[in-house]
Amino acid sequence: MNEKTVTFIVDGKEIKARPEQTIMKACDEAGVYIPRLCAFKDLSPFGSCRVCTVKVNGRPQAACTQPVGEGIVVESQTAEIQQIRRNIIDMLFVEGNHFCMFCEKSGNCELQAMAYRLGILAPKFPYMFPVRGVDASHPDIFIDWNRCILCARCIRTSCEIDGKNAYGFIGRGPHKRVATNSSAGLKGTDADVSDKAPANCPVGSLMYKRIGYAVPIGCRLYDKNPIGSDIEMKKTT
Amino acid sequence: MTAYNETIVKDICRRFGNERSRMMDVVKEVQTSFGHVPNEAMDAIARALSCPRVEVQSLVSFYAFLTERPKGNIIIRLCDDVIDRMQGFDRIADAFKEELGIGIGETTTDGKITLEATPCIGMCDQAPAALINDVIVTNLTKDAAREIVAGLREHGDPQRLVKRLGDGNNAHELVRAMVVNNVRRKGDVIFGEGKPSDGLKNALAMSPVEVIRAVKTSRLRGRGGAGFPTGIKWEFTRAAKDETRYVICNADEGEPGTFKDRVILTEKADLLFEGMTIAGYAIGAQAGILYLRAEYVYLRPYLEHALAERRKSGLLGNKILGHAGFNYDIRIQMGAGAYICGEETSLISSAEGFRGDPKTRPPFPAQKGYMGHPSAVNNVETLCCVTRILERGAGWYAQMGSNGTSGTKLLSVSGDCKIPGVYEIPFGITLKEFLAMAGAEDAAAVQVGGPSGQMVGPAEFNRIICYDDLATGGAIMVFGPQRDLLWVVSRFMEFFVEESCGYCTPCRVGNVLLRRKIEEVRAGKCDPAAIAYLEDLGQTVKIASRCGLGQTSANPVLTTLKNFRPLYTARMKENEAGMQMTFDISAAVRDAEIIAGRKSANF
Ligand SMILES: Cc1cc2nc3c(=O)[nH]c(=O)nc-3n(C[C@H](O)[C@H](O)[C@H](O)COP(=O)(O)O)c2cc1C
Ligand code: SF4
Ligand code: FES
Ligand code: FES
């Protein structure tokens, strides 16, 4: 273990970190939560959602990929940055088709939970209502592209944890989407029910089949505590 | 074109050593053989290169010039950027559509010819222009369009459409293009006089560290847009611990309105290759890569020839000019139609055989670039300046230009001006002085630096062209008083929507939302609150985007809001009725009307 530490400031609070850590990791350990969607414990950082945007010495950076540095000054909960985060969450809502009221992920959904945490009740941007499909060809797993937020957590989990390459991105710009590693769709891949990938999807896009409302709405993860509470709890422990 | 055949695919893969990193080249050759990249071919490529199939599809679906679906043997790509549209794109497109009997994005019923639109192909000074397979056609008219279709129907050979050859090396037997250079003003650096190889000889007489010091003394800054000091970049690259290093020349020139690198590649290829060689010596690289945009593939045979000549003359290869221990060669990597691949880390992804997604920084290319090795990425013009600096001295170079910015700059000017073309000017002149040179005194607005730059009006024309004031990678697009600037903004946003790589949320979604709002403003459907909406949304895209594309893509909106705000307010009205002005009730009931089989009585 590296004994050296660096000290830096987040929203006025002094934090000690190991030099190889990202700003997000260091803040997590110090009990300071930075909102995020694509970053996920045990997966390599990806930096795509931009919800974790912070300012480092005045320059915008993604906290999940940016390394710490001695004496840096990080702004996270400022009015300007919270507004940017709300705009990004808004963008993800209008880009897809998210019908929370009848989504099995409701209450466990990180997108929904982040919207609540940031105080969003309805998006201010116009809905795009894209026409997207569903791949239900696999016996145990399905993809509903209507809810995909392109965070690459399935792609990274499949590769880094499940030891497969069941998913990948295709297309460019607004046409980008998750595809499966087979022209026959999900059933043509080596994805199976023991994979972690569906469990790590933040929304209801990649799901295990035949699990519906096992925990009632109202008793689910983020029904009880806002997203990020687990990290903020550390403050007191 | 042949029917799908697995042996052909395997052979192609083998020719590239079954190297995963050469997938761009493999896929391009497969497409050349079959006209597209068929499903089965993707499986076969994946097997041969030992990678997941989805990575092949990921690459093919990313680039505009690659296709999973069959298209015609001949693909006509009309440049539909603003300059071409100002110069008659619609008329020409109509002529093509009429003659071919198809719309844009379609293929003729005999399956032979496909008609498409493409962003700036770097021919803005001779617009309207188009690419027909690899062949460039310029100054198009309706008659020319008809002749082209007739010719293609008759002989099917795009090269035979070139009746008159352009000037200089455009007429070289390995180029044979109708493109013209339009070099309007020669300066002392790029178009100055010099003795071939003197720069390289001088460099090899110095130590690599001394070469870097000379480049630092010259105060040369990158000509690709960002203006990073070249000497410092090289110092970082040289300092990175590794045995292998690369020089990468960025010849992607995708910024609409920029075409100066095309002229350098045509007329000054040796100046560039010499600069790349000096860079290799300075940073301790064994290889250089020229990343050439797909639109400029017509220059490739000539450039390959120039490289071969240099190898013959001992200017590339082992022991360059007898210098023991300096072994260095250059290869050309073709792009496949993606503006984002001009961004240096996307360019590296692309050259490594992936979709052109930018990489996370740090590490920077100087630390971990191509194939994980330290790489110096420089623009074409930057590397040409290097040759002259070593040839004529850092002091000579540094005294040219303005206080903060040394040297000269190539500007490519197009649009509403009398003398479009390429100008080599010393840094430090005002925009006004430059506009006078180009015959654009009555400009109402000028887009400096292309869509990612800024739109300025006459109040700003006294600003100085240099890195500390009006910085530009080289594009100057002139708009006369008759032009609708909000239309220009809308076209630029369309460009960014299509060219975003889609990796990060603000750029992928935000540009779509910006374009939509601009369209609503243009349609008179907005109240003054739309200004705050555009500013807030534009700032989010600018601040939160992951790479330079998204960080600048809101500029058409933000800079016109700053410099041309009355254009916006003139199209807005107070929302007195308290209705949602963008809501179109007739459109909303249309589906219901179809189902009901009658028109709505109320709407
Ligand atoms: C979206 C985007 C497109 C770019 N396109 C080009 C290009 O076509 N040519 C170029 O030289 N630099 C381009 N750049 C800048 C490069 O990232 C990089 O800064 C440059 O090649 C470095 O070379 P220089 O220091 O010699 O200017 C682009 C940057 C962005 C963000
Ligand atoms: S800003 Fe984001 S989406 Fe846009 S090109 Fe860069 S990485 Fe891709
Ligand atoms: S959490 Fe950092 S970009 Fe998504
Ligand atoms: S060639 Fe058409 S705009 Fe540049």
Side-chain angles (χ1 to χ4, degrees), chain B residues 257-564:
Chain B
T258 318
F259 46 87
K260 47 116 190 156
D261 291 341
R262 185 242 303 155
V263 176
I264 296 182
L265 292 163
T266 310
E267 297 303 328
K268 297 285 170 185
D270 275 301
L271 194 67
L272 168 64
F273 292 140
E274 192 174 335
M276 287 180 75
T277 313
I278 296 170
Y281 177 70
I283 67 163
Q286 298 76 31
I289 297 171
L290 175 72
Y291 187 93
L292 186 64
R293 71 183 307 212
E295 291 82 348
Y296 293 171
V297 68
Y298 74 99
L299 290 170
R300 185 178 186 176
Y302 169 71
L303 294 169
E304 294 283 8
H305 167 76
L307 288 172
E309 289 296 308
R310 294 185 74 80
R311 280 179 205 118
K312 266 192 233 158
S313 314
L315 297 167
L316 284 176
N318 287 341
K319 286 202 219 133
I320 290 176
L321 289 176
H323 196 97
F326 182 39
N327 308 329
Y328 179 85
D329 211 333
I330 296 173
R331 82 166 169 95
I332 297 176
Q333 173 69 56
M334 290 310 304
Y339 165 67
I340 184 60
C341 289
E343 195 283 332
E344 55 186 12
T345 61
S346 309
L347 184 156
I348 292 172
S349 300
S350 180
E352 289 170 340
F354 292 96
R355 48 191 281 125
D357 285 340
K359 296 179 189 255
T360 299
R361 274 161 292 210
F364 292 87
Q367 304 163 289
K368 268 183 198 297
Y370 179 68
M371 304 303 284
H373 299 294
S375 306
V377 184
N378 280 117
N379 172 256
V380 171
E381 187 183 348
T382 312
L383 289 159
C384 289
C385 293
V386 164
T387 307
R388 291 285 190 237
I389 289 165
L390 270 296
E391 187 181 302
R392 305 193 52 181
W396 164 81
Y397 190 88
Q399 49 82 30
M400 279 182 287
S402 70
N403 295 343
T405 314
S406 63
T408 64
K409 181 80 192 86
L410 292 194
L411 299 180
S412 34
V413 57
S414 61
D416 297 318
C417 62
K418 293 193 195 77
I419 325 169
V422 174
Y423 294 71
E424 181 174 4
I425 53 121
F427 274 114
I429 69 169
T430 62
L431 180 57
K432 195 179 193 139
E433 288 169 302
F434 176 68
L435 292 174
M437 277 182 215
E441 292 91 339
D442 53 0
V446 180
Q447 184 75 27
V448 180
S452 72
Q454 41 186 322
M455 182 79 91
V456 298
E460 320 261 325
F461 286 178
N462 278 321
R463 290 177 63 185
I464 293 168
I465 299 174
C466 67
Y467 287 108
D468 307 317
D469 191 358
L470 263 186
T472 168
I476 305 279
M477 296 159 120
V478 183
F479 301 104
Q482 76 277 27
R483 303 295 173 191
D484 172 1
L485 291 187
L486 289 190
W487 167 79
V488 175
V489 171
S490 150
R491 294 300 312 166
F492 286 168
M493 291 321 299
E494 173 72 22
F495 170 75
F496 287 124
V497 164
E498 288 305 319
E499 296 300 326
S500 161
C501 82
Y503 194 107
C504 72
T505 317
C507 174
R508 185 184 67 242
V509 189
N511 286 318
V512 176
L513 295 170
L514 282 169
R515 176 188 60 182
R516 176 165 171 162
K517 198 52 151 188
I518 290 290
E519 280 307 304
E520 288 170 359
V521 170
R522 292 185 63 219
K525 285 185 184 167
C526 292
D527 64 19
I531 292 198
Y533 174 101
L534 284 168
E535 274 170 346
D536 172 53
L537 177 57
Q539 285 301 333
T540 294
V541 175
K542 193 179 181 81
I543 294 174
S545 284
R546 179 165 180 261
C547 86
L549 192 153
Q551 286 157 12
T552 56
S553 64
N555 283 350
V557 175
L558 295 174
T559 64
T560 48
L561 274 173
K562 180 162 165 275
N563 298 330
F564 297 90

Side-chain angles (χ1 to χ4, degrees), chain A residues 45-106:
Chain A
F46 195 65
S48 70
C49 74
R50 312 311 277 181
V51 175
C52 71
T53 298
V54 293
K55 281 198 175 173
V56 180
N57 296 340
R59 280 184 63 132
Q61 301 285 4
C64 68
T65 58
Q66 187 66 17
V68 296
E70 180 61 41
I72 58 170
V73 177
V74 179
E75 297 164 61
S76 175
Q77 304 282 336
T78 62
E80 184 197 12
I81 288 175
Q82 291 292 69
Q83 169 70 4
I84 286 171
R85 290 177 183 154
R86 273 193 293 275
N87 283 349
I88 294 172
I89 297 296
D90 256 17
M91 287 177 189
L92 289 171
F93 269 106
V94 302
E95 185 191 27
N97 300 309
H98 297 275
F99 301 103
C100 303
M101 54 297 219
F102 48 81
C103 177
E104 148 61 18
K105 196 79 172 198
S106 186

Side-chain angles (χ1 to χ4, degrees), chain B residues 43-115:
Chain B
D43 288 309
I45 294 169
R47 278 193 296 275
L49 306 187
S50 313
C51 72
R53 171 208 145 86
V54 71
E55 288 186 9
V56 187
Q57 195 185 2
S58 184
L59 180 142
V60 175
S61 60
F62 188 87
Y63 296 95
F65 285 24
L66 298 176
T67 171
E68 294 171 58
R69 271 173 299 279
K71 289 185 184 174
N73 271 344
I74 293 169
I75 301 181
I76 303 174
R77 295 188 170 94
L78 306 174
C79 170
D80 74 342
D81 236 309
V82 285
I83 301 295
D84 292 65
R85 285 188 179 255
M86 281 158 46
Q87 256 129 56
F89 168 86
D90 285 333
R91 264 177 291 130
I92 283 127
D94 284 345
F96 274 109
K97 287 189 229 168
E98 224 167 86
E99 289 300 306
L100 292 165
I102 53 173
I104 287 182
E106 293 175 359
T107 300
T108 49
T109 40
D110 61 7
K112 284 191 179 146
I113 305 178
T114 301
L115 185 62

